[in-house]
Amino acid sequence: MTILFISDLHLDSERPAGIEQFLSFIAQEASQADALYILGDLFEVWIGDDSTELSNAPIIEALANLELKGVPCYFMHGNRDFLIGKRFAAATGCKLLEEYEVVEIGGTRVLLTHGDLLCTDDKPYMELRKKLRNPSWQKDFLSKTLDERKTIAANIREYSQQAIAEKPQEIMDVNQDSVAKTMAQYGVNLLLHGHTHRPGIHHFDLDGTNATRIVLGDWYEQGSVVRWNTEGYQLENIT
Ligand code: MN
């Protein structure tokens, strides 16, 4: 048994090397696995399933091929690709997950999430998130032309980058109280997420029991993956 977890690939036509790395990961390692979980921000930006961006085609094809090989793929929205919808799911065969999902692997209950929901110290981001996740905002956005959407997405990105540059680093990490509360709510001792681009494995006490938080890294300089097999899990880089 091997279950793979990845996140924060931020695939973008302007970074073809990243796309190549993802395609070879899918064709080689993921094709041999028993399941693949993508925990958000597969794409740098996603303006709708009707996007005509040419660089998306091989990515969608690779995921569809994975499904044909009998490897189930699960996708969870990130803060960049939260508009991925049913059409993408149908084209790739990926099953769309909710923002929190508990899966059981080798007898262990694992809570999966992208990670941004746990960054509760970042109040302006949480406000922006609320707006962008509102169904009526999304309906209005998706009714615009692709060019209009590209412009709006670029503006949001610029606003975010400016805001990020002005924020202290610790504000943009997860809030430990939010982590503990959420893990207790779902009844898990293990949490796996991405988003912060701070890969690591953190052990801590959760109401008197040992708890673990695994953080996937981004794919800017190299890939990052959690491989879970019969011996347990490992967080590793892919070069
Ligand atoms: Mn993210």
Side-chain angles (χ1 to χ4, degrees), residues 8 10 39-41 78-80 114 116 125 194-197:
D8 303 281
H10 293 267
L39 302 185
D41 288 356
N79 52 303
R80 302 302 195 102
H114 177 58
D116 57 330
Y125 170 72
H195 179 67
T196 60
H197 301 196

